Amino acid sequence: MSPEALSALLDRALEQQRLRPLDVAFARFLAERDARIAPALPWLAAVLSRQLADGHLCLDLDLLPMLAEEQDWPADWRALAESLREGDALRVPDSPLLAANSEGEPAHAPLVLDGTRLYLRRYWNHERSVAHGILARVARAANPPEHLAAELGRLFPATAEAPDWPRIACALAARGAFGVITGGPGTGKTTTVVRLLGLLQTLQLREHAQPLRIRLAAPTGKAAARLNASISAQLARLDVDDAVRAAIPADVVTLHRLLGARPDTRRFRHDRRNPLHLDVLVIDEASMIDLEMMAAVLAALPEPARLILLGDKDQLSSVEAGAVLGDLCRRADAGHYDHVTAQWLKATTGDEIDAFVQGDAQPLDQHIAMLRTSHRFDARSGIGRLAQAVNAGAAPAALALLQTPTPDLAWLPDADAATLATVAIDGSPTPHAKPGGYRHYLEWLRAHRPAADAGEAAHAAWARGALEAFNRFQLLCALRRGPHGVEGLNRHVAAALRARGLIEGEHGWYEGRPVLLTRNDYSLGLMNGDIGLCLRLPSTDGTPGTRLAVAFLATADRDGATRLRFVAPSRLADVDTAWALTVHKSQGSEFDHTALLLPPDPNAVLTRELLYTGITRARRRFTLLGSAAIVEQAVARRTRRHSGLGARLEA
């Protein structure tokens, strides 16, 4: 293929939206850097760049035939893919722009071919550093504290659950420098980690005068706020001495704040040269952490420190490239413990885990615990059973549950625009069946509004109550664009609310408008994912009248405290209306009632993980709007992110 033919191919791919402008620009940049470059290499680089946008860390060249079928590649793409094969062997073109060895030499090459996986060098470096950082902690000699068994017995009284996985999780995390605690909603991840922190501080203070320096973090402000509230509630019930309780922090910060994010750069204030000042780092909602962020965390972590990750391995992966928690927990269902770990647990906790002992146990497996009993969803729970069926890939069972209504589960397979509006406003397809949906929140605003002269404290309490009322219900969807995406849904819901007299406007700023921050704003101390409400407050300059301000419950302060703050709408440049959120944006949040709208046509984003994540955002009620065919397709399709991290972690 000539350079002219390659350029034409890239132009067609751009017109057909197979590639983005960035992907094409990268391919052309490489072609300009090496005049003798074979056309297949810039084309591969463009496809790799597009794969990164879809969350993949690399382009596995062995999987090109599969990608060709899944994405229905045109003939010229298929011909380029075929040109890379000589029988069963790969034949990737030579170029100074490609490092084709396990050491990544030459070091200036922007592309790295490691085995059959093609990487951008930055992500190749990140993947290797994450694997090295985790395995180094896994390999550190286990040194169980002397009084571990006794303290576990005190913190975990005998129960009917056998084995007691929260107790096992604490024991495994306490004996090493790295631990992962995974489990679905209601399995007690937060309760377990609070007991773990009480255990670690108790053991520390028995031997030392100074307590452990513990920091708690989460990927987003919303997740940080939820963990903050959960830990504060759990601490009061923890069976530890007052000195131990006082040494357990409840404040949770975002990872960006923890690492010291700096505007206009990908670098953080804390790194290998300026590590964090801590002994234990706990990160919640770890499924949301992308590879680059995990690399930054490990780089900033002091060598002696202990790292503990919490999260649901079956949720959606991070928006950015990588699926770190999924790669770590890919064998967690079967346990894969070795006989040494099983015997140690029996002696230390009394728990027998012989059913989870496997002959192919890896060192990493001995540091991962999966909580297996949900205390939120009992055997009668429609939400819990639906989540289990979807997670198991059992589409017939999921549809059978949807066809048998329960008090906490509703299915509207043929919902039209009017029905959707009614669900969003009233929480039910039957108008005014009971206070719910966004009507409850908007009527709460009016019913509880303080008098104009009630004072600052009264209006602050009202704003907090409004945020709580708004969090009772959330409309979710799978897409960003189109009538079934957030952009179209936000316009549709706002118009319906205004038509019913519940809001005063549907464009611009109006009282009641919920907004989602889409970019970190360090000047305001607000983070990507924070949700605020536009409220009408008394003027602050002493004149009669009112002003609009957006209330946020932010967790971005340096001390990690959660505080209410009001921001003028004119200062908020990067916000979206949040009557509807994508499932991705809802991660780290929970709502009393969640309604999930699926598009009517097949789409690559509809996966088992997306459906499971949407279902498990609901605490008490879940409503699904989508056809049986779309549900079946979503349950059948698993998220596959191309990565070499899993293989590196087995090294």
Side-chain angles (χ1 to χ4, degrees):
M1 178 181 288
S2 67
E4 293 75 18
L6 172 65
S7 182
L9 178 149
L10 294 173
D11 286 339
R12 286 193 300 274
L14 193 57
E15 291 172 4
Q16 297 166 0
Q17 297 185 343
R18 292 183 180 276
L19 296 176
R20 304 168 300 160
L22 177 64
D23 310 326
V24 172
F26 180 49
R28 287 183 167 141
F29 166 78
L30 295 178
E32 291 169 2
R33 288 283 300 274
D34 181 5
R36 297 175 298 175
I37 197 168
L41 193 55
W43 169 75
L44 278 176
V47 176
L48 168 61
S49 178
R50 185 66 185 85
Q51 288 283 97
L52 285 167
D54 291 336
H56 303 286
L57 294 179
C58 60
L59 176 62
D60 193 331
L61 303 186
D62 270 346
L63 300 181
L64 289 183
M66 182 195 72
L67 285 177
E69 294 303 316
E70 286 184 349
Q71 300 175 9
D72 191 22
W73 281 1
D76 47 7
W77 281 39
R78 292 175 187 263
L80 280 170
E82 284 297 320
S83 73
L84 300 173
R85 288 280 174 189
E86 273 189 359
D88 293 331
L90 280 169
R91 185 175 61 84
V92 181
D94 291 332
S95 170
L97 303 178
L98 174 69
N101 61 69
S102 61
E103 297 303 319
E105 297 293 340
H108 63 272
L111 298 173
V112 178
L113 182 63
D114 194 335
T116 64
R117 297 185 181 96
L118 182 68
Y119 293 85
L120 288 183
R121 178 174 291 276
R122 180 157 60 93
Y123 287 95
W124 180 75
N125 286 334
H126 289 329
E127 189 177 272
R128 292 207 312 168
S129 68
V130 167
H132 178 269
I134 290 174
L135 290 178
R137 283 182 156 73
V138 166
R140 194 182 302 171
N143 186 24
E146 181 181 351
H147 303 285
L148 177 58
E151 292 300 332
L152 282 169
R154 185 167 64 86
L155 283 168
F156 290 89
T159 65
E161 184 178 342
D164 189 329
W165 286 105
R167 180 168 58 203
I168 290 170
C170 286
L172 293 176
R175 76 166 182 168
F178 178 73
V180 178
I181 302 174
T182 187
T187 52
K189 294 186 294 293
T190 304
T191 302
T192 300
V193 82
V194 170
R195 290 187 182 184
L196 172 60
L197 297 180
L199 172 69
L200 295 176
Q201 285 291 30
T202 297
L203 295 170
Q204 171 75 6
L205 292 174
R206 289 184 72 144
E207 304 292 337
H208 306 279
Q210 295 298 321
L212 293 167
R213 298 169 298 174
I214 298 173
R215 297 295 303 273
L216 309 174
T220 67
K222 191 75 174 178
R226 194 161 64 86
L227 180 61
N228 186 301
S230 297
I231 287 182
S232 297
Q234 294 288 338
L235 275 176
R237 301 192 293 269
L238 189 62
D239 181 19
V240 293
D241 296 339
D242 289 342
V244 171
R245 185 177 290 104
I248 300 174
D251 294 333
V252 187
V253 297
T254 63
L255 286 171
H256 280 86
R257 179 65 73 186
L258 175 77
L259 296 175
R262 298 183 295 180
D264 304 320
T265 178
R266 304 176 80 99
R267 298 183 180 276
F268 295 96
R269 185 163 51 87
H270 290 289
D271 54 20
R272 284 187 176 84
R273 292 168 293 182
N274 179 30
L276 294 162
H277 305 293
L278 52 79
D279 302 303
V280 179
L281 174 60
V282 176
I283 304 177
D284 193 21
E285 295 290 352
S287 64
M288 301 169 66
I289 305 176
D290 61 89
L291 184 79
E292 186 171 9
M293 177 58 77
M294 183 58 75
V297 168
L298 289 164
L301 206 59
E303 193 278 331
R306 178 185 275 114
L307 175 62
I308 298 163
L309 304 179
L310 304 178
D312 185 345
K313 67 179 179 63
D314 297 313
Q315 280 190 23
L316 279 168
S317 301
S318 59
V319 175
E320 303 298 330
V324 177
L325 187 69
D327 285 334
L328 286 168
C329 297
R330 66 202 180 284
R331 288 152 54 93
D333 286 287
H336 288 276
Y337 298 109
D338 58 31
H339 289 288
V340 173
T341 297
Q343 292 169 4
W344 179 80
L345 284 171
K346 173 65 175 175
T348 305
T349 69
D351 293 296
E352 294 187 3
I353 60 165
D354 291 346
F356 298 91
V357 172
Q358 306 289 337
D360 61 344
Q362 297 283 335
L364 176 63
D365 299 327
Q366 316 313 305
H367 294 256
I368 297 173
M370 179 176 170
L371 309 184
R372 301 166 188 269
T373 303
S374 176
H375 303 284
R376 181 190 305 168
F377 304 129
D378 61 25
R380 297 165 296 174
S381 165
I383 297 174
R385 287 185 291 159
L386 180 61
Q388 289 175 358
V390 168
N391 200 23
L399 289 171
L401 286 165
L402 289 170
Q403 291 163 354
T404 308
T406 63
D408 63 339
L409 191 62
W411 183 33
L412 303 172
D414 303 310
D416 57 14
T419 302
L420 170 62
T422 302
V423 170
I425 294 170
D426 296 300
S428 167
T430 304
H432 312 300
K434 59 183 297 187
Y438 293 127
R439 179 186 296 277
H440 164 79
Y441 149 64
L442 293 166
E443 291 183 345
W444 189 97
L445 282 183
R446 296 175 179 177
H448 295 83
R449 185 188 303 278
D453 59 354
E456 184 177 332
H459 283 91
W462 175 64
R464 284 181 177 271
L467 286 161
E468 292 177 5
F470 178 76
N471 279 333
R472 285 187 55 175
F473 174 83
Q474 183 65 58
L475 175 63
L476 301 179
C477 59
L479 308 176
R480 277 204 55 79
R481 294 179 176 83
H484 298 88
V486 287
E487 294 176 356
L489 287 176
N490 275 311
R491 290 192 296 268
H492 180 64
V493 172
L497 289 168
R498 188 180 186 191
R500 288 163 173 78
L502 292 169
I503 56 175
E504 59 194 26
E506 57 185 278
H507 305 291
W509 291 101
Y510 52 86
E511 184 170 59
R513 179 192 178 192
V515 294
L516 174 81
L517 207 69
T518 59
R519 186 176 180 182
N520 294 338
D521 191 324
Y522 300 100
S523 65
L524 296 176
L526 299 173
M527 294 290 142
N528 184 0
D530 285 346
I531 287 182
L533 301 178
C534 185
L535 303 176
R536 191 170 294 282
L537 300 171
S539 298
T540 56
D541 57 5
T543 60
T546 60
R547 63 188 172 96
L548 289 176
V550 184
F552 288 91
L553 201 58
T555 58
D557 302 275
R558 290 192 179 279
D559 61 359
T562 302
R563 295 191 178 94
L564 181 75
R565 65 182 51 170
F566 294 104
V567 180
S570 60
R571 299 190 65 188
L572 295 171
D574 299 298
V575 294
D576 288 338
T577 302
W579 297 118
L581 296 178
T582 62
V583 175
H584 260 114
K585 287 292 187 181
S586 74
Q587 284 188 270
S589 303
E590 290 179 343
F591 310 94
D592 286 353
H593 180 190
T594 298
L596 172 60
L597 174 69
L598 300 180
D601 301 314
N603 192 292
V605 305
L606 292 174
T607 64
R608 185 183 308 176
E609 290 80 5
L610 181 137
L611 187 52
Y612 170 82
T613 303
I615 294 166
T616 55
R617 298 311 88 202
R619 281 190 293 255
R620 296 186 176 90
R621 291 179 62 201
F622 176 72
T623 300
L624 181 65
L625 299 92
S627 69
I630 290 296
V631 171
E632 286 181 327
Q633 291 171 18
V635 173
R637 182 185 290 120
R638 297 219 65 167
T639 299
R640 292 196 313 269
R641 289 205 165 175
H642 301 169
S643 162
L645 181 60
R648 295 186 196 278
L649 290 170
E650 293 180 1

